[in-house]
Amino acid sequence: MTALDDLDRRLLSALREDGRASVASLARRLKVARATVNSRLERLVASGTIVGFTVRVRDELDPLAIRAIALIAVEGRTTDRVIRQLRGFPEITALHTTNGGWDLVAELRTESLPDFDQVLGRIRGVDGVVNSETSLLLSSVLR
């Protein structure tokens, strides 16, 4: 991946706010030519900086209504094996390595509390997971 300059960062920020913004409106907002926005977008996609475009659904309308963050402690050198297993859980929408007292942070989405309870049991049952702490996300005040 190439290093990002100020224009790249401003373009990415604008797309985070409105991923459907037209090239013309992005160009006006960033005070550059449309061709510049087009070439920057092509470069950011080709370099892998932008890996895709998606839709964000209002939380209260999302069919996968239960959202949570799970902090996961892993035994010894089993992190890679645990990550491989957790990648197969469709309820895990993102998985991050971290420092500090926890080894992994998982973002979870389920349709119901019984489903949430079941996925927690499956996570805790993964060989190498020694501890976990989970917090439900009640509302988003900044995204």
Side-chain angles (χ1 to χ4, degrees):
M1 288 190 292
T2 59
L4 299 179
D5 64 14
D6 181 61
L7 179 57
D8 292 329
R9 286 188 287 278
R10 291 188 300 129
L11 176 57
L12 291 171
S13 176
L15 288 170
R16 282 187 190 104
E17 285 182 34
D18 182 3
R20 295 183 62 200
S22 68
V23 169
S25 68
L26 290 168
R28 278 191 304 276
R29 178 177 175 170
L30 301 172
K31 297 182 171 101
V32 296
R34 288 186 314 212
T36 301
V37 171
N38 273 326
S39 66
R40 293 294 179 120
L41 282 172
E42 288 172 9
R43 183 175 54 79
L44 291 167
V45 169
S47 71
T49 301
I50 295 177
V51 295
F53 297 88
T54 188
V55 63
R56 292 186 326 189
V57 178
R58 185 178 308 280
D59 291 339
E60 60 270 15
L61 300 177
D62 192 340
L64 298 178
I66 308 299
R67 299 176 309 124
I69 297 293
L71 306 171
I72 302 168
V74 175
E75 179 180 38
R77 298 177 188 213
T78 63
T79 303
D80 290 340
R81 183 167 30 106
V82 169
I83 289 171
R84 279 193 301 276
Q85 290 181 31
L86 293 177
R87 280 185 177 157
F89 286 45
E91 302 88 353
I92 296 178
T93 60
L95 186 61
H96 314 274
T97 59
T98 186
N99 67 333
W102 301 98
D103 301 300
L104 301 170
V105 175
E107 298 177 38
L108 308 172
R109 284 184 182 263
T110 64
E111 293 182 21
S112 66
L113 286 174
D115 291 343
F116 177 72
D117 186 38
Q118 192 261 350
V119 76
L120 285 182
R122 288 179 30 232
I123 289 171
R124 291 177 181 138
V126 169
D127 189 37
V129 171
V130 293
N131 195 12
S132 68
E133 180 179 316
T134 307
S135 295
L136 291 174
L137 300 176
L138 301 177
S139 64
S140 296
V141 294
L142 177 67
R143 285 175 79 162

